[in-house]
Amino acid sequence: MPVTFHLKRTPTVPLEAEVLTPDVIGGLSNAEIRALTVYHGKRQLPLGEFFDVEGEKCEDLVLHGTMPKVRWVGRAMSKGTITIHGSIGMHLGAYMTGGLINVHGNAGDWIGAEMKNGFIHIHGNAGGQVGAAYRGALQGMRNGTIIIDGSAGLEVGMRMRRGTIVVGGPTRDFTGLQMKGGTIILMSGAEIRTGAWMKRGTIISLKPLQMMPTFAYAAHLNPVFINILARTLAPFGIRLPNEESEGAYALYSGDRSIPGKGEILVWQPGA
Amino acid sequence: MLRITGGKVYDPANGINGQVKDLCIDDKGRFVASVDGGRTIDATGMIVFPGGVDVHTHVAGGAINFARAMTPEDHRRTQAFIRTKSRRSGLGGMAPTTFATGYLYAGMGWTTVNEAAVPVLSARHTHEELADIPIVDKASLTLMANNEIMLDQLEKGEYERAKQVVAWYLWAAKSYGIKAVNPGGVTAWKWGKDAKQLDSPIEGYRNLTPGSIVTQLARICDELGLPHPMHLHCNNLGAPGNISTTLDTLHRLEGRRAHIAHSQYHAYGGDGWDTMCSSTAELAEHFNSHKNLTTDAGAVLFGDTVTITADGPWQHLLHKLTGRKWGNLDVENETGCGIVPYTYRPSNLVNAVQWAAGLELLLLIEDPWQVFLSTDHPNGGCFWRYPEILQLLMRADFRKECIAQLPDKIKGKIRLPEVTREYSLYEVAISMSAGPARALGLTHKGNLGIGCDADLVIYEEDHDVVRMFGHPRYVIKAGEIVIEEGEIREAPQGHEFLVRPHCEPDIDDFMRPLFEECYTMQFENYPVELERIEHPHLRDCVPIPG
């Protein structure tokens, strides 16, 4: 039986709830869970003030409610699952090293920031800085997968080092900013300055992108690795085209102002 | 009033080496022969040291503040100080916040710190921050070897004028002494150049050379009678083969006293990064034969830190070498500064040489009154890691274990494996307290004698050196118990030491036109008012005849 949390009091200021992880909740009784400390702004309150809690001693968590102000859920989790029915706030799954997060709704900024491993699936939209490095840090996500069915905001995958981000809807400016590795797949393209300052890594876009002048066109091709990637992502309903009869990817390399060895692949049907 | 009984006392200033002795402290926070009443601390089985004195650290002012702003990634992972009744909030880490700096120093038993690099233009800011560093007493040094108004006087051969200009700046900054950083090099940096040759004219000057700045500034410090001699960061910091520059610089002192800052960074042989090796033996030999010189190690510890120095050109090079982020400040016509976060790794041959070189200097310079504990905080490592260095100095077997973890290629590049010396507690007390206090001319510090300031630290005797020095049982500052049982009990405000060297009355009239020509601020607004200094303590200047 999973531990379920129903939001009963809507926080008026951000509620920092980094205790909502399978690692913390897993071994606790119902009363202990309700007594865990959360920060409502600067005030320390028991978790039970904000949530009705059912169940205990389980590494599967289910959250219900409209929670755009609830932050840090799943912070540094290493195992178990979190399922969220409703919307969730910033820093979801930040620093996580394992486990699974499913959100049936929208999520805020900084989801999966500096994560080391694990899986996050947002069925709605996400904010900016998905899988990014926090301000000042050298590296964003080191591994793991983030799938967003809807759109995402600014600086998606900023300074990411490894791992995969898939965004179904469009992303905003600076997608893959200062990227150091890993893969970003854009099913619906992005706004401007995609891949700015990218050092290494791959951005794949199925829609045309406005390329920066510091990216150089290299070739048209149907790389084999796309087939492997497509096979991994197929179970999530993601389809990456790569048949020569359908078209080809235009490869751009950059960002030459660094100078970087990153690559942007833009799908061109019928090319 | 306080009485400390039964402790083993290490007071090198008075030659007391581990004798059991009672100490008495009066209401004014001074040591006295006896007291009536008051609290008694039974220190039986414990060790009593004079409070630590840091001769060279960077804890306040524009540069460290820039470093704090540049490293938010460190703030997230570091020790947080939560506000309590006796303590304000703050953060530790690579560049701790002001209040946390005081707590961390005092928490380790240090009671006096010397902020070693202050541009006059940011002196007001520095004093505001120093006022917010609780518990410890403070002093600050003014950056002078790249000040253009002063250099212009030396260029023209107007030595007496230059001396007056220095005196005027010192009092304007309300500081305690003179710091010379890469003489001429920071000035040259404003032309995109550096000053690596002691005898080559500095960029922008016709005759003036780094060597002549060193000679004349050392003389100026003596003739002004500053309690602390010229505090010198030599040219060519960090570069392979810089030992020749360093030794050459020491000869330019022409026998005058000086304190050589973070000498680890100035003791390398080789001619490139691949061949870089430690040349500490040569440098140590010079110190062993020149007793009027002191130095601090500037030791390096492996791990993350942030480097900050007025040596702008070096920082630019470091940024280019590492690809890490870089901050650069230009301080009008006085100096500059650069900031680069850095990680020292044992697997990196250059870092391994640096690590060994710092320890070698502390061990090869025979007289502990000449070489002091420092990491050039935060450049070589953070000050709160000093107990780790003490462990390396006091335990040769532990040192051997650490050396074994260095890359094999290090063989032949360092001297440390051959050094068997271990510091005694008495030598530690000199290196962390009595020695730096004497070098700073603070005769009432680092000294448990009658009449001196009652700053002391009581350790639980422990074979684990890091635990012993990292967690003192009691820390007493000016007779007040500030740390007890690992808790901060009180956070009193310390003093700030200043000097007022003699100035000719016409110096204001001389400075004004030059100032108005160069600076972006009003002449009247420039000097820091004495009222701005919290608890100033004016020290006398006693000129040493040239």
Side-chain angles (χ1 to χ4, degrees), chain A residues 89-239:
Chain A
M90 289 159 79
H91 310 293
L92 173 76
Y95 303 113
M96 72 190 278
T97 59
L100 190 109
I101 298 177
N102 254 297
V103 182
H104 301 280
N106 298 332
D109 299 332
W110 301 102
I111 60 168
E114 296 188 21
M115 71 191 276
K116 289 205 171 101
N117 215 333
F119 185 92
I120 301 177
H121 194 158
I122 312 288
H123 294 274
N125 302 326
Q129 290 86 15
V130 175
Y134 281 115
R135 297 298 179 212
L138 285 172
Q139 297 181 353
M141 65 190 285
R142 320 281 153 91
N143 212 340
T145 306
I146 301 174
I147 297 177
I148 297 155
D149 292 351
S151 64
L154 297 166
E155 297 179 353
V156 169
M158 178 250 290
R159 295 208 279 275
M160 70 187 281
R161 181 78 180 75
R162 204 177 289 127
T164 309
I165 298 175
V166 186
V167 189
T171 63
R172 295 186 58 203
D173 304 354
F174 288 113
T175 298
L177 176 66
Q178 219 174 355
M179 219 174 146
K180 293 164 182 208
T183 309
I184 299 176
I185 301 168
L186 305 168
M187 308 300 283
S188 309
E191 289 184 27
I192 56 173
R193 289 169 203 159
T194 308
W197 270 5
M198 86 190 268
K199 206 172 166 195
R200 287 179 81 99
T202 307
I203 299 174
I204 301 165
S205 177
L206 301 191
K207 291 279 152 60
L209 290 179
Q210 185 185 328
M211 298 301 297
M212 300 224 307
T214 47
F215 277 80
Y217 169 75
H220 266 75
L221 71 171
N222 292 83
V224 178
F225 82 87
I226 297 268
N227 299 342
I228 302 164
L229 200 56
R231 213 175 304 147
T232 327
L233 295 173
F236 304 102
I238 296 159
R239 185 179 171 274

Side-chain angles (χ1 to χ4, degrees), chain A residues 75 95 114 134-138, chain B residues 70-73 76 323-325:
Chain A
R75 181 187 193 277
Y95 303 113
E114 296 188 21
Y134 281 115
R135 297 298 179 212
L138 285 172
Chain B
M70 260 178 69
T71 55
E73 71 277 15
R76 290 190 288 272
R324 299 285 289 267
K325 50 193 163 187

Side-chain angles (χ1 to χ4, degrees), chain B residues 90-116:
Chain B
L91 284 170
M94 306 188 306
T97 54
T98 49
F99 287 96
T101 299
Y103 305 142
L104 285 165
Y105 261 117
M108 225 170 37
W110 260 251
T111 49
T112 304
V113 301
N114 182 32
E115 160 57 58

Side-chain angles (χ1 to χ4, degrees), chain B residues 325-380:
Chain B
K325 50 193 163 187
W326 171 52
N328 183 61
L329 286 171
D330 171 38
V331 188
E332 298 197 8
N333 62 343
E334 292 177 2
T335 177
C337 108
I339 293 134
V340 180
Y342 193 78
T343 306
Y344 291 96
R345 298 176 206 279
S347 57
N348 177 317
L349 212 55
V350 171
N351 293 164
V353 168
Q354 293 178 310
W355 174 83
L359 298 173
E360 284 169 13
L361 284 167
L362 282 158
L363 293 161
L364 292 175
I365 297 175
E366 289 154 8
D367 186 355
W369 289 98
Q370 278 184 281
V371 59
F372 314 132
L373 183 62
S374 92
T375 55
D376 184 18
H377 165 80
N379 289 299

